[in-house]
Amino acid sequence: MLEFKDVSLTYPNGHQGLKNINLKINDGEFVVVVGMSGAGKSTLIRSINRLVTPTSGELLIDDENILKYKENNLRKLRTKTGMIFQQHNLVKRMSVLRNTLSGRLGHMGTLRSLLGMFPQDDVNLAMSNLNRVGIGEKAYTRADQLSGGQQQRVSIARVLTQKPKVILADEPVASLDPPTAHKVMSDLKRISREDNLTTLVNLHFIDMAQEFADRIIGLRDGEVVFDGPVSEVSDKTFEEIYGRPIKEDDLLGGDED
Amino acid sequence: MSNDVKFPPKPKRTKLKIKLGITLAVLAALYTVALTTTGFEVRPSASSAWHTLQRIFIAPLFDADTRAAFPELVGYMLETIAIAYAGLSIAAILAIPVGFLAARNMTGNNLSYIGKGILNAIRAIPELIFAIIFVAAVGIGPYAGVLAISINSIGMLGKLYAEVIETIDMSKVEAIKASGGNRVQAMWYGVLPQVVPEFSSYAIYRFEIDVRASTVLGIVGAGGIGFPLLLATQQRNWEDVGMILYVVVIFVTIIDIVSGKIRNKLV
Ligand SMILES: Nc1ncnc2c1ncn2[C@@H]1O[C@H](COP(=O)(O)OP(=O)(O)O)[C@@H](O)[C@H]1O
Ligand SMILES: [Mg+2]
């Protein structure tokens, strides 16, 4: 279980990114975090793998306060927490398989990894994950020769190769066209279900949030202004979260292809 | 309507003119001091300039003795290239950790500042001075030349590498960190693949410079074609001097062309 207890984060410049967040997220939940740009969505999920560190409160994963973690524990925490970014962050000039394998780095000794001596088990794991997201045949292609949707699938495969318990996705489909975005989200949801992974996804588009989320958390100005199952969510909820009427821009559209 | 266009008043350049005047006066004074205190005299040499030029550039092509020296000179030139190559190879690799240390986005402002300062200091010292020092330290011969070339190349490559590293996409590094990778792994998998083509290109470019620099190392006893050049000039053996120049020009040109082609492919 993942638990925020009165978590606040003040950035060095004095800006309050998170204000007294209290949340409990159960194992295997698929949570979508929504809110306007600047609401604190990235700050929230980046706290969970400590890419940013909250300045007060407690953040518990399985009852351990991860805000106390230093160097070694932090690395361990991060190996169990896979992150998918808006920009896929693949190394362009490396093969798809190697990019996927780089998800194992946290589990390897430095020297072995410098020599690129990945254990055969890891290679098999990486390959099977590529197959799971449907791009196995691209294993030996250079990452920069894939389309945006394929690249984002590779980052899903890379994250799976970490064997994580939690997946954090920061606007994973924001730079994809609607049909592709829809497919990538479906893949993410399917895999998260199959492996029973706790998943937090930041999404900008409200129709997508409604389609994929089990539970929706609404943020505004660093505060949780909505938290509930997707069944309780209506357009009015979003208007409250966004603090303004819903616009065309807030919808992805083009769900059917 | 063009006469309606209004221009602001032209700036007066009096300041600039005063600066220029002072600079010229200072330069003239310096020249006077230099020429009067060093006993410099323009003296006609034993043979006319034209005659010397002819002996340098034309004679070697027809003079059988000089042409016979060609293979030996090529040998010296190959030694020169070998010095440059060995020095550069050492530098191209050692400059990598140095470049990482000097890159702001890798080590932070302070270390980067110190690192760049050291690299600039190294670059400020010419190869020839390093060569003199190393000849004294390790003895006459190409080994001293290799060390001189490599130190100087580290100075330049380290700085260029650092600049390349500062322009990379740090999100790849963040992705490795986010998956539990350590600093070294983040550099190896997040940074190196992004910078290797630029690094290689700069290293090859630096090789061109090093070949040129190596041609004069022999003058201070650090190996290469500079040594026969020194002998030939001291003996006023202009035909040999000419032949050496031809050899240098031919090899340097070939290396420049080839390396330029390779660099074009890399980046
Ligand atoms: N490193 C930082 N330093 C200062 N302020 C920041 C930093 N990162 C984000 N912020 C600010 O914190 C707020 C929340 O940012 P973020 O979590 O990125 O929002 P979102 O992901 O919802 O767009 C924004 O106002 C942003 O400007
Ligand atoms: Mg964000």
Side-chain angles (χ1 to χ4, degrees), chain A residues 46 49 51 75 78-79 81 85 89-91 93-94 98 105-106 108-110 113-114 116 118 158 162, chain B residues 169 171-172 174-182 184-186 188-190 193-198 266:
Chain A
R46 290 161 74 88
N49 62 357
L51 283 182
R75 277 192 71 189
R78 287 174 176 167
T79 59
T81 318
F85 301 83
N89 287 344
L90 303 179
V91 177
R93 291 191 259 249
M94 240 159 52
R98 244 184 140 56
L105 288 176
M108 287 175 81
T110 304
S113 64
L114 292 192
F118 292 94
R158 175 172 65 180
Q162 280 178 239
Chain B
D169 178 0
S171 66
K172 321 278 191 235
E174 185 172 54
I176 307 265
K177 255 173 66 187
S179 71
N182 61 28
V184 177
Q185 291 170 329
W188 197 258
Y189 283 86
Q194 295 188 59
V195 297
V196 159
E198 280 90 348
L266 277 174

Side-chain angles (χ1 to χ4, degrees), chain A residues 54-182:
Chain A
T55 41
S56 71
E58 289 184 351
L59 212 172
L60 309 174
I61 295 183
D62 296 333
D63 296 321
E64 257 191 64
N65 184 8
I66 64 151
L67 300 187
K68 295 229 169 82
Y69 281 5
K70 299 235 156 60
E71 210 57 43
N72 262 337
N73 282 335
L74 203 55
R75 277 192 71 189
K76 246 178 244 158
L77 165 76
R78 287 174 176 167
T79 59
K80 289 190 233 150
T81 318
M83 186 162 220
I84 298 167
F85 301 83
Q86 175 179 347
Q87 296 304 330
H88 49 75
N89 287 344
L90 303 179
V91 177
K92 287 183 195 153
R93 291 191 259 249
M94 240 159 52
S95 76
V96 164
L97 183 61
R98 244 184 140 56
N99 265 295
T100 312
L101 267 169
S102 71
R104 292 308 293 168
L105 288 176
H107 298 264
M108 287 175 81
T110 304
L111 191 63
R112 256 195 106 103
S113 64
L114 292 192
L115 297 173
M117 287 166 46
F118 292 94
Q120 190 58 41
D121 284 352
D122 289 359
V123 181
N124 294 344
L125 177 66
M127 193 59 225
S128 71
N129 286 329
L130 283 173
N131 287 329
R132 281 183 78 187
V133 293
I135 42 171
E137 80 280 8
K138 300 280 186 196
Y140 300 111
T141 311
R142 264 172 55 147
D144 54 0
Q145 286 168 7
L146 303 187
S147 69
Q150 291 172 324
Q151 287 177 330
Q152 205 53 295
R153 283 201 178 83
V154 177
S155 31
I156 295 175
R158 175 172 65 180
V159 154
L160 287 178
T161 306
Q162 280 178 239
K163 290 200 183 157
K165 293 208 172 109
V166 177
I167 287 190
L168 309 170
D170 198 355
E171 310 214 21
V173 295
S175 39
L176 303 178
D177 60 86
T180 311
H182 195 260

Side-chain angles (χ1 to χ4, degrees), chain B residues 224-238:
Chain B
I225 203 164
F227 178 63
L229 178 65
L230 181 72
L231 286 188
T233 46
Q234 281 176 346
Q235 296 161 358
R236 300 270 195 279
N237 185 349
W238 299 120

Side-chain angles (χ1 to χ4, degrees), chain A residues 11 13 15 17 36-43:
Chain A
Y11 279 112
N13 66 0
H15 185 91
M36 288 211 289
S37 170
K41 303 182 294 294
S42 299
T43 310

Side-chain angles (χ1 to χ4, degrees), chain A residues 218-232:
Chain A
L219 286 183
R220 190 164 81 205
D221 290 335
E223 281 179 292
V224 175
V225 293
F226 177 86
D227 181 7
V230 71
S231 53
E232 286 178 14

Side-chain angles (χ1 to χ4, degrees), chain A residues 168-214:
Chain A
L168 309 170
D170 198 355
E171 310 214 21
V173 295
S175 39
L176 303 178
D177 60 86
T180 311
H182 195 260
K183 280 186 207 144
V184 169
M185 274 306 290
S186 309
D187 273 338
L188 184 59
K189 173 101 188 210
R190 172 176 55 82
I191 277 163
S192 153
R193 279 292 71 86
E194 285 171 4
D195 292 5
N196 194 37
L197 300 171
T198 310
T199 309
L200 278 92
V201 188
N202 290 346
L203 280 183
H204 195 74
F205 301 113
I206 60 179
D207 47 350
M208 247 201 173
Q210 274 179 299
E211 183 182 353
F212 290 102
D214 299 336

